[in-house]
Amino acid sequence: MFVFFLKKNFCRIWDNFFHTIFVNLPIMLLSFLGYFFCSKMAGIREGTPFGGLTFMIAVVICCMVWGILFLAEGENAASISKYDTAKFKTFITQIPHCIKDGILLGLCQAVLILAVLISIPYYFKVWMPLDGSEGSITGLVMMACVFWVVIIASLALQWILPIRSLMHNKFRKCLKKSFIIFFDNPFFSIGVALVNLLNMALGIFTMGILDGPATMAITSTNALKLRLYKYDWLEVNPGLTKAQRKQVPWEDLLVKERRLLGKRTFRSLLYPWKD
């Protein structure tokens, strides 16, 4: 199933390559501006009474703006996963509708980022003080707890956009379902997250030309769209045992998806009009 997901994801992103560029570029530009803004705030926070607070506010604001723009691409990502066309106009018109949920998503992301930037270094110093004095094992335990909470929450939060765009749930329900999906599919969630990490790295390296937030939105939505076939199958087969529930017949469930995607070759990707 994961191999088919990679194939479908690559093909659908390729088919909407120019659309992803138009969405990625402005978001990446704002992301870089936000990074420099937060770096500036981090540079002045030492030695000032409210320096740390201004830095945290800067991170929160940047995350909220990013969350709004990221969710605004959700409807296009859903259309792409359903083999429909994406429109830049849809991205623009969806921005006002994503303000509330984007702010909430941004707050969640800001908490995780600040936990990494502030809490982990603090507990590290408790465990291993810089002055050479004896540390406390409590610092190591707390640092490990924060680390795993951030990892699990980050893996779960990647499902909020596709849940919102495919199921049209409110944010609270999206958040609840995102953790349910993660704990029910931990290895699949890790695999999708690794693909999105690659998307993020390529987006930063290419300034949004090859990859970026739009590509990440499409990746997460394609992944959930395919995974939902599992839950449709479980719904029509309620009497399965625990062992039977693990034997998901993906070959049968993905027949329609394979037919819709068609036989894609390298030649068809470069010259689709010749097929």
Side-chain angles (χ1 to χ4, degrees), residues 27-262:
I27 299 181
M28 290 300 296
L29 176 60
L30 289 174
S31 298
F32 280 111
L33 291 176
Y35 170 78
F36 289 119
F37 175 59
C38 291
S39 299
K40 183 67 174 178
M41 293 298 103
I44 66 174
R45 65 175 176 169
E46 299 295 337
T48 58
F50 301 104
L53 180 61
T54 57
F55 170 72
M56 289 188 286
I57 292 175
V59 172
V60 170
I61 292 174
C62 291
C63 286
M64 289 192 299
V65 173
W66 194 92
I68 294 170
L69 297 178
F70 183 61
L71 290 185
E73 181 60 6
E75 291 300 318
N76 277 324
S79 296
I80 291 172
S81 71
K82 298 174 184 177
Y83 302 94
D84 293 330
T85 57
K87 299 178 181 179
F88 185 74
K89 181 180 178 180
T90 301
F91 168 70
I92 298 298
T93 56
Q94 281 296 311
I95 291 177
H97 303 289
C98 298
I99 293 177
K100 179 181 177 181
D101 289 352
I103 288 175
L104 294 174
L105 176 60
L107 288 174
C108 292
Q109 293 172 330
V111 169
L112 299 181
I113 292 173
L114 292 173
V116 173
L117 297 178
I118 298 176
S119 297
I120 290 182
Y122 171 78
Y123 288 122
F124 181 81
K125 292 178 182 178
V126 172
W127 176 42
M128 298 183 66
L130 298 179
D131 58 5
S133 60
E134 184 178 357
S136 172
I137 193 66
T138 303
L140 176 61
V141 173
M142 292 303 299
M143 186 170 61
C145 290
V146 172
F147 173 80
W148 284 112
V149 167
V150 169
I151 292 296
I152 292 172
S154 298
L155 290 171
L157 287 179
Q158 70 179 327
W159 298 119
I160 285 185
L161 180 143
I163 292 172
R164 184 179 184 275
S165 58
L166 292 174
M167 303 180 184
H168 302 287
N169 295 143
K170 293 184 178 180
F171 185 84
R172 185 176 179 180
K173 197 167 187 179
C174 289
L175 186 62
K176 179 181 178 180
K177 285 185 177 181
S178 68
F179 279 91
I180 292 174
I181 291 173
F182 164 71
F183 285 113
D184 193 39
N185 308 274
F187 294 109
F188 182 69
S189 297
I190 292 172
V192 176
L194 291 176
V195 176
N196 273 330
L197 280 176
L198 177 61
N199 290 334
M200 184 183 299
L202 288 175
I204 295 173
F205 183 74
T206 64
M207 290 291 292
I209 296 177
L210 293 182
D211 266 309
T215 314
M216 294 168 63
I218 296 170
T219 297
S220 298
T221 306
N222 278 329
L224 183 62
K225 175 73 164 52
L226 296 177
R227 209 63 180 180
L228 288 178
Y229 285 106
K230 167 187 172 181
Y231 296 101
D232 292 338
W233 174 71
L234 292 174
E235 187 175 350
V236 298
N237 295 278
L240 296 176
T241 64
K242 186 176 180 179
Q244 290 174 328
R245 289 168 64 91
K246 295 181 178 179
Q247 303 300 319
V248 183
W250 286 114
E251 288 298 321
D252 296 332
L253 297 179
L254 298 180
V255 169
K256 180 180 178 181
E257 287 283 340
R258 295 182 190 278
R259 177 176 57 81
L260 290 172
L261 183 62

